[in-house]
């Protein structure tokens, strides 16, 4: 019964979120259709929230951090030790509710039972069953190709958070399962019988191996260790997870019950999901990187500020939407590693198709290949090695084979918003620049509601502009750009005052850091239609923008927030 409760809880939660997302999509489509041919000053209906309680809900729950302002800014004990980030208020409520329900389902037993070994047997079965039940969503949430990401419009970052906490719940329930079995076994034959069972009974031995693998997983996933040795953690995580699955499977089939334990189909489902997700990754890799025209090739340039600009030429056409990212790897540079990076720029190569009819001699252009570009800052490990490989050449560039896996995410469309404010910190510009071309071209074609775009980019020095100069030059030359785009550049450490100057009224430069609450309040005062604020950059910047968005909710205007982040 409790097993059914747990699955129904997850199912109902997913259906509620799906219902909310469907309503949001329909509302956004209605807003787009009604506003895309209307000037910004006439989008007043969409500017004001139609539900008086929605701004309060956003301020106090949906956009609220757990406490005060901190959410995405990492808790660092030192340069090497990182405690990760705090969940949001909404995430905390969901996690506490789920953890509480699991504890209740495990320990709602008749504690008045006189036979304590009977009580242990009941808790043993209860905890083991719940551990396997939780393994199903645990594996689904771990995958990049999780179908719920696109269906529910929930980011992989959120599922990754749920995956970590569900993993901890599975290990705790498994340990409870082992402890209560041990209590009964020790009472029956002492610790010697426990050792004998583990060594000679395949049913107990396989369960013990699976338990040890899970405990080691839990220890290695402690935040300081995970952050300090992430690549080692990731490799051992996969190996230990596989050992845990096999141990659990043997534990289910090695019983004296004919046909195995009733939970056996669940472990088959768990392993099938895990293998299917890995197969989906391989199919994506093969499709994107190999064709009759060859394989993917990368050109890496070392840029100022210890940054690389990377262009990967794919051998086939790939449809990439604004805001998407991809996992990439390079031959000869930590080839076994792959990391996610926002796709900054996309260009397609076309070929003309000859007419197929004498009546219609119109030539048609068909896309045959795609190039995707990234900006990658040199930190440690993989990114540092990539920068050094390019920087050590005389030309400060290098060509190499590469593998592109994606694109992922990109389920947040800004087309229906009359007013868009984009905040970027350093290389976070890659996420934001992908929206600029799309929205400006959509404005010219009359297919988006956007009438004003404000880009706020915070960089360390003037040389950082080189990272995106080729793409920004193209954006600034787009027809209609001056009608809606304003760029505000903040240089925090200019080498001289002469570097910071404004070339026009629509592209302005300022020294120092921006006053984000002041900037956002000014944008809200001049708001055109519904507003969306997005941020991509360091955790401190994301928290400042989130806090500013919460403060302007008091004005009853529609100001939505989207944070692009990956917490690990």
């Amino acid at each position: 019964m409790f097993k059914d409760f747990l699955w129904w809880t997850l199912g109902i939660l997913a259906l509620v979120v799906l219902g909310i997302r469907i309503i949001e999509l329909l509302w956004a489509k209605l807003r787009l259709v009604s506003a895309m041919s209307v000037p910004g000053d006439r989008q007043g209906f969409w500017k004001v929230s139609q539900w008086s309680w929605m701004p309060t809900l956003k301020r106090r729950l949906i956009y609220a951090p757990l406490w005060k302002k901190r959410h995405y800014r990492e808790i660092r004990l030192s340069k090497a030790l990182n405690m990760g980030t705090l969940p949001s208020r909404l995430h905390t409520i969901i996690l506490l509710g789920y953890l509480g329900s699991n504890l209740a389902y495990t320990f709602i037993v008749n504690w008045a039972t006189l036979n304590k070994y009977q009580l242990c047997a009941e808790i043993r079965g209860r905890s083991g069953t719940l551990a396997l039940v939780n393994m199903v969503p645990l594996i689904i949430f771990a995958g990049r190709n999780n179908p719920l990401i696109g269906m529910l419009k929930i980011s992989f970052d959120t599922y990754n958070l749920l995956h970590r906490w569900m993993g901890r719940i599975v290990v705790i329930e498994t340990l409870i399962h082992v402890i209560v079995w041990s209590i009964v076994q020790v009472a029956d034959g002492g610790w010697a019988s426990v050792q004998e069972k583990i060594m000679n009974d395949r049913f107990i031995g396989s369960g013990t191996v699976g338990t040890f693998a899970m405990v080691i997983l839990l220890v290695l996933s402690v935040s300081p260790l995970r952050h300090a040795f992430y690549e080692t953690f990731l490799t051992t995580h996969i190996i230990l997870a596989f050992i845990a699955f096999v141990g659990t499977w043997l534990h289910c089939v090695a019983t004296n019950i004919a046909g195995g334990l009733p939970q056996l189909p669940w472990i088959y489902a768990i392993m099938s999901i895990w293998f299917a997700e890995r197969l989906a990754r391989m199919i994506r890799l093969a499709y994107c990187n190999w064709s009759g025209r060859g394989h993917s090739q990368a050109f890496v340039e070392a840029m100022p500020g210890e940054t690389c600009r990377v262009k990967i030429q794919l051998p086939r056409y790939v449809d990439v939407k604004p805001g998407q990212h991809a996992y990439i790897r390079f031959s000869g540079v930590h080839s076994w590693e792959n990391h996610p990076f926002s796709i900054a720029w996309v260009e397609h190569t076309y070929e003309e198709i000859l007419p197929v009819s004498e009546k219609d001699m119109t030539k048609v252009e068909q896309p045959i290949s795609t190039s995707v570009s990234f900006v990658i800052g040199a930190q440690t490990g993989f990114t540092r090695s990539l920068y050094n490989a390019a920087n050590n050449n005389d030309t400060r560039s290098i060509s190499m084979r590469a593998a592109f896996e994606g694109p992922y995410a990109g389920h947040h469309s800004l087309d229906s918003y009359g007013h868009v404010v984009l905040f970027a910190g350093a290389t976070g510009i890659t996420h934001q620049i992908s929206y600029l071309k799309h929205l400006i071209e959509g404005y010219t074609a009359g297919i988006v509601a956007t009438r004003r775009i404000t880009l706020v980019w915070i960089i360390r020095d003037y040389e950082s502009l080189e990272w995106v100069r080729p793409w920004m030059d193209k954006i600034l030359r787009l027809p209609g750009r001056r009608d809606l785009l304003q760029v505000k550049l903040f240089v925090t450490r200019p080498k001289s005052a002469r570097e910071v100057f404004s070339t026009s009224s629509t592209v302005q430069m300022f020294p120092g850091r921006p006053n984000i609450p002041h900037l956002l309040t000014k944008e809200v005062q001049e708001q055109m239609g519904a507003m969306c604020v997005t941020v991509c950059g360091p955790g401190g910047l994301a928290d400042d923008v989130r806090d500013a968005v919460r403060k302007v909710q008091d004005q009853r205007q529609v100001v939505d927030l989207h944070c692009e982040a990956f917490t690990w």
Side-chain angles (χ1 to χ4, degrees), residues 214-229:
M214 291 183 191
V215 171
I216 297 171
L217 271 173
L218 180 65
V219 172
L220 294 180
S221 65
V222 173
S223 192
L225 289 176
R226 186 174 76 246
H227 287 84
F229 309 101

Side-chain angles (χ1 to χ4, degrees), residues 12 183 210 235 282 287 367 385 485:
I12 291 173
I183 291 171
T235 303
M282 290 192 294
Y287 175 80
S385 298
L485 177 62

Side-chain angles (χ1 to χ4, degrees), residues 110-315:
N110 184 10
W111 291 95
T113 301
L114 296 177
N115 187 339
K116 68 176 182 180
Y117 303 117
Q118 179 184 345
L119 192 66
C120 286
E122 186 171 357
I123 295 174
R124 180 191 67 212
R126 194 81 66 81
S127 57
T129 298
L130 289 172
L132 259 177
V133 168
N134 282 306
M135 279 187 183
V136 177
L138 172 71
I139 299 306
I140 293 175
F141 293 170
R144 300 171 191 169
N145 295 283
N146 173 7
L148 296 176
I149 294 175
M151 187 184 302
L152 303 182
K153 310 298 182 187
I154 296 176
S155 68
F156 176 66
D157 186 61
T158 298
Y159 285 111
N160 201 17
L161 172 71
L162 297 175
H163 168 76
R164 292 196 297 269
W165 281 97
M166 279 194 171
R168 291 160 187 154
I169 291 172
V170 167
V171 176
I172 290 170
E173 289 172 340
T174 301
L175 287 174
I176 293 172
H177 181 71
V178 171
I179 290 168
V180 292
W181 169 80
S182 300
I183 291 171
V184 178
Q185 189 61 42
V186 169
D188 182 51
W191 285 104
S193 68
V194 173
Q195 182 179 352
E196 193 275 334
K197 286 274 188 181
I198 291 173
M199 299 302 294
N200 300 315
D201 189 326
R202 192 174 68 161
F203 175 66
I204 301 299
S206 58
T208 304
V209 170
T211 301
F212 270 110
M214 291 183 191
V215 171
I216 297 171
L217 271 173
L218 180 65
V219 172
L220 294 180
S221 65
V222 173
S223 192
L225 289 176
R226 186 174 76 246
H227 287 84
F229 309 101
Y230 183 71
E231 290 304 325
T232 303
F233 157 77
L234 192 60
T235 303
T236 55
H237 193 80
I238 295 170
I239 295 170
L240 290 169
F242 182 74
I243 293 172
F245 294 156
V246 173
T248 306
W249 168 67
L250 289 173
H251 187 63
C252 289
V253 299
T255 179
N256 294 326
I257 301 174
L261 291 177
Q263 295 82 5
L264 185 60
W266 304 349
I267 193 64
Y268 285 141
I270 291 165
M271 297 184 75
S272 297
I273 293 169
W274 193 73
F275 282 115
E277 204 279 329
R278 296 282 156 178
L279 179 62
R281 292 190 193 183
M282 290 192 294
I283 292 173
R284 273 183 183 263
L285 276 170
Y287 175 80
C288 291
N289 296 285
W290 287 276
S291 76
R293 295 183 177 87
H295 54 78
S296 296
Q297 192 74 18
F299 180 67
V300 183
E301 299 175 83
M303 304 298 293
E306 296 190 322
T307 302
C308 293
R309 187 165 62 209
V310 179
K311 181 178 181 179
I312 301 179
Q313 183 65 50
L314 305 178

Side-chain angles (χ1 to χ4, degrees), residues 85-128:
T85 59
L86 293 173
S88 70
R89 193 170 298 171
L90 178 60
H91 290 157
T92 302
I93 292 172
I94 293 172
L95 291 172
L96 288 176
Y98 195 76
L99 177 60
S101 66
N102 272 268
L103 289 173
Y105 298 158
T106 302
F107 292 112
I108 294 179
V109 294
N110 184 10
W111 291 95
T113 301
L114 296 177
N115 187 339
K116 68 176 182 180
Y117 303 117
Q118 179 184 345
L119 192 66
C120 286
E122 186 171 357
I123 295 174
R124 180 191 67 212
R126 194 81 66 81
S127 57

